[in-house]
Amino acid sequence: MPTPEVWPGRPYPLGATYDGAGTNFAVFSEVATQVELCLFDEQDRETRVPLPESTAFCWHGYLPRVGPGQRYGYRVHGPWKPAEGHRSHPSKLLIDPYARAIDGHVKWDEAVFDHKFSDENALNDADSAPFVPKSIVINPYFDWANDRRPHTAWHDTVIYEAHVRGMTRLMEEVPERLRGSYAGLAHPAAIRYLKKLGITAIELMPVHQFINDDHLQKKGLSNYWGYNTIGFFAPHCAYSSSGCTGQQVQEFKMMVREMHAAGIEVILDVVYNHSAEGNHLGPTLSFKGLDNASYYRLQPDARYYTDYTGTGNSFNVRNAHVLQLIMDSLRYWATEMRVDGFRFDLAPVLARELHQVDRLAAFFDLIHQDPVCRDCKLIAEPWDVGPGGYQVGNFPPLWTEWNGQYRDAVRDYWRGTDTMMPQFASRLTGSSDLYQSNGRRPYASINLVTAHDGFTLRDLVSYNDKHNEANGEENRDGESHNRSWNCGAEGPTDDAKVNELRARQQRNLLATLMLSQGVPMLVAGDELGRTQQGNNNAYCQDNELSWLDWAKADQGLLVFTQHVIHLRRNHPTFRRRRFLEGKPIWGAESDIKWLNPAGAEMSERDWHSGFAKSFQVFLNGKAIKSTGGHGERIFDDDFTLMFNAHHEPLEFVVSHDKAGHVELDTAFPKGVQRSEVAPRSRIKLEARSMVVLRHDR
């Protein structure tokens, strides 16, 4: 390849920016003495072009006639002094942190490491270029047609956590060449399913370009979940059915456009707390070689990394350029890729200014003042592995949180744990104890019973213990305390009574999830009865263990789930924007009443009776405090929810003076055995079941 012409160009925007006539390249490094842009042709032949300018530590140059599809990387001339935190050397080809597309995968050769395997303190100057993925110049232009964001209100949102590959890999209605791809997810069959199910937002597990770890590949496994990011602007190329030299960007945009056309929002699970480069023994792929001390939190002995994530490193969010990268990435996905929100993995890591988690960290300040990001849905996973890392309830306004306390309380209540009624009642009504004091609303609580990390819903009621042997770690990985209950037998069984109880427990958990105040999150496949055979940490299982098996779907459970989601969506009683107050609203009687099975108001003794596991809650549809979009009052039917987590049937007294219609009864497979119940009458709830009565206005 002839040496191309290079002009000074501009320091911003960072990354490779094609303008129709050429491409501007810009990359940050405070420690570099020189940065070389490396261009690769189709035969992988390399041409090195020194970037001619450095402005405020941003190295830049403009190459006319270089355009979309061009493969490139960087080499940084700078200090390799690990004891001082510096790991730059021109032998390492580096991925552009701002690359909009990345082609290829890491080939695990010693050359991709900056040290020798025989001596971690000795420089390894072997050329890594043959073994490192290449950054790609993309065409930024795309026909968005009449795309409009759904802008679904938080209180109307139902989230579906899904994996791009796992969702459609076995979906026969999707053409085989599209299965497991962005295009497969955008296929009419997939979208039709989501619409019929009733969800309003799909939360995709990581789609930023990630790498597969060497130790997993040696065991015949792979990083299926994708929490191992190396490119924060690039859609993962393995999920593209159309190509990896920029086509993945176009295909991702097409998926978002089709989701929006169906009224479905797209939320991304993002991992800004660490990178795929691991600890001091990990590979040098991008950030380490560019400016290790700026990008990472280092120990006083700067050879080593501070690890709040359990992955070997933590991003240094105290550094202005790292903050800039995160904010630029968020804005790019929100504006150019048009996604609707973000779920932040291990979010407290981003709040660690010094050591402790700081609610007013610079990251949150930036989010709140940013006109793009503050208009997105923001979800925190409110825990990390560092000291003080459990921060449920402590995130600032604008943020919602995965409510781990909701998950634990609901699991414990339905498996029959004593003294759980007060906790369960609090979680059912929006967790005001966690979110009301700082000005947030019930929808600050993202309610979940399961997530990708842990048992599936079916396994939650089928296993007491994890069974992760397939991961090759002798069952040492994964959470050991799952608050699960196998209902009388561990794993698959032919015992009809056990299987019936498991089915009922799944219905109980799904109904509770969908009818709680807050925002429900359903994990893809839970509505189908998906099992991972007791594996609660299937991060490395890119196979039938993790994929949705549509051929084995529990159709009865699916119908039940559709019914209870639509019950929620049709009735504002279950989607309140303000916390219930337990007092009259709009002149009507109290908005909520807590009743014992006999129909009398709960006493302190009722609440604190350790063995008690049964109660009722009355929700007044005429006492909804929030108004509609035009200031109008919102009216709904009244509802009585009856809960019996006792191991025997119990008789409940209907306290309402109007007839009730059974909208839901989890004792029945489809939950829709409707019948009319007379005022003040008595009905029997089966053991471990739930009934929902609707009283006409």
Side-chain angles (χ1 to χ4, degrees), residues 428 515 567 573-574 576 591-597 599 615-621 637-643 652-665 677 683 685 690-696:
L428 181 73
L515 301 182
L567 180 61
T573 290
F574 304 113
R576 298 178 188 238
D591 56 0
I592 186 171
K593 291 182 180 179
W594 301 98
L595 310 169
N596 62 25
F615 68 99
Q616 307 183 57
V617 55
F618 167 73
L619 298 173
N620 189 344
D637 299 323
D638 297 339
F639 283 86
T640 300
L641 280 62
M642 300 176 169
F643 297 91
F652 280 64
V653 175
V654 179
S655 64
H656 206 284
D657 57 7
K658 289 185 178 180
H661 305 272
V662 179
E663 288 291 317
L664 195 74
D665 187 342
V677 177
I683 63 173
L685 262 67
M690 171 182 171
V691 165
V692 177
L693 300 181
R694 177 176 58 83
H695 311 277
D696 294 332

Side-chain angles (χ1 to χ4, degrees), residues 88-101:
S88 300
H89 196 272
S91 64
K92 305 308 167 196
L93 184 76
L94 305 174
I95 298 167
D96 181 0
Y98 279 70
R100 268 49 174 186

Side-chain angles (χ1 to χ4, degrees), residues 262-443:
I264 298 172
E265 293 183 309
V266 178
I267 298 171
L268 300 188
D269 192 337
V270 291
V271 190
Y272 293 114
N273 52 71
H274 74 281
S275 85
E277 291 184 303
N279 61 17
H280 63 290
L281 300 178
T284 296
L285 302 172
S286 181
F287 311 99
K288 278 185 181 179
L290 282 163
D291 194 333
N292 186 63
S294 291
Y295 278 110
Y296 293 113
R297 296 286 294 266
L298 303 179
Q299 298 279 14
D301 182 343
R303 291 175 298 174
Y304 305 113
Y305 296 80
T306 300
D307 182 10
Y308 294 123
T309 65
T311 63
N313 65 60
S314 301
F315 261 149
N316 182 17
V317 189
R318 297 174 298 181
N319 183 283
H321 286 279
V322 178
L323 271 176
Q324 179 188 2
L325 178 142
I326 295 173
M327 295 304 299
D328 285 351
S329 172
L330 290 170
R331 281 190 291 264
Y332 174 76
W333 287 96
T335 57
E336 296 298 317
M337 309 296 264
R338 299 201 182 184
V339 303
D340 303 279
F342 305 94
R343 178 265 187 190
F344 293 81
D345 179 67
L346 303 181
V349 175
L350 303 173
R352 290 183 182 273
E353 291 258 319
L354 296 173
H355 178 71
Q356 298 297 324
V357 174
D358 180 358
R359 272 185 50 190
L360 300 179
F363 173 71
F364 296 124
D365 293 340
L366 286 173
I367 289 283
H368 281 216
Q369 63 82 36
D370 188 273
V372 173
C373 295
R374 70 188 179 205
D375 194 40
C376 296
K377 283 184 162 67
L378 303 172
I379 305 172
E381 180 186 33
W383 46 78
D384 66 24
V385 300
Y390 190 78
Q391 292 292 316
V392 172
N394 290 334
F395 278 72
L398 289 186
W399 286 79
T400 65
E401 301 173 15
W402 273 23
N403 190 343
Q405 293 194 32
Y406 179 95
R407 174 199 60 208
D408 295 347
V410 171
R411 289 185 178 191
D412 279 344
Y413 174 75
W414 281 115
R415 71 189 179 117
T417 305
D418 289 344
T419 69
M420 282 309 301
M421 282 204 310
Q423 269 285 326
F424 179 76
S426 177
R427 305 302 154 229
L428 181 73
T429 52
S431 298
S432 60
D433 58 324
L434 298 177
Y435 304 114
Q436 190 170 24
S437 63
N438 64 354
R440 290 194 281 175
R441 300 287 183 86
Y443 48 77

Side-chain angles (χ1 to χ4, degrees), residues 48 74-77 88-94 111 113-114 123-130:
R48 302 186 187 185
Y74 291 112
R75 295 183 187 271
V76 170
H77 296 258
S88 300
H89 196 272
S91 64
K92 305 308 167 196
L93 184 76
L94 305 174
F113 297 83
D114 68 355
L123 171 66
N124 176 7
D125 60 2
D127 183 10
S128 69

Side-chain angles (χ1 to χ4, degrees), residues 154-155 157-158 403 406-407 410 414 423-431 442-443 445-449 508-521 564 568 571-576 580 617 619 641 643 690 692:
W154 262 125
H155 64 283
T157 299
V158 179
N403 190 343
Y406 179 95
R407 174 199 60 208
V410 171
W414 281 115
Q423 269 285 326
F424 179 76
S426 177
R427 305 302 154 229
L428 181 73
T429 52
S431 298
Y443 48 77
S445 177
I446 304 297
N447 297 331
L448 66 153
V449 174
N508 289 332
L509 292 162
L510 285 168
T512 302
L513 175 66
M514 291 302 162
L515 301 182
S516 295
Q517 305 299 323
V519 179
M521 186 188 82
V564 73
R568 175 189 180 84
H571 291 282
T573 290
F574 304 113
R575 299 180 281 106
R576 298 178 188 238
L580 293 150
V617 55
L619 298 173
L641 280 62
F643 297 91
M690 171 182 171
V692 177

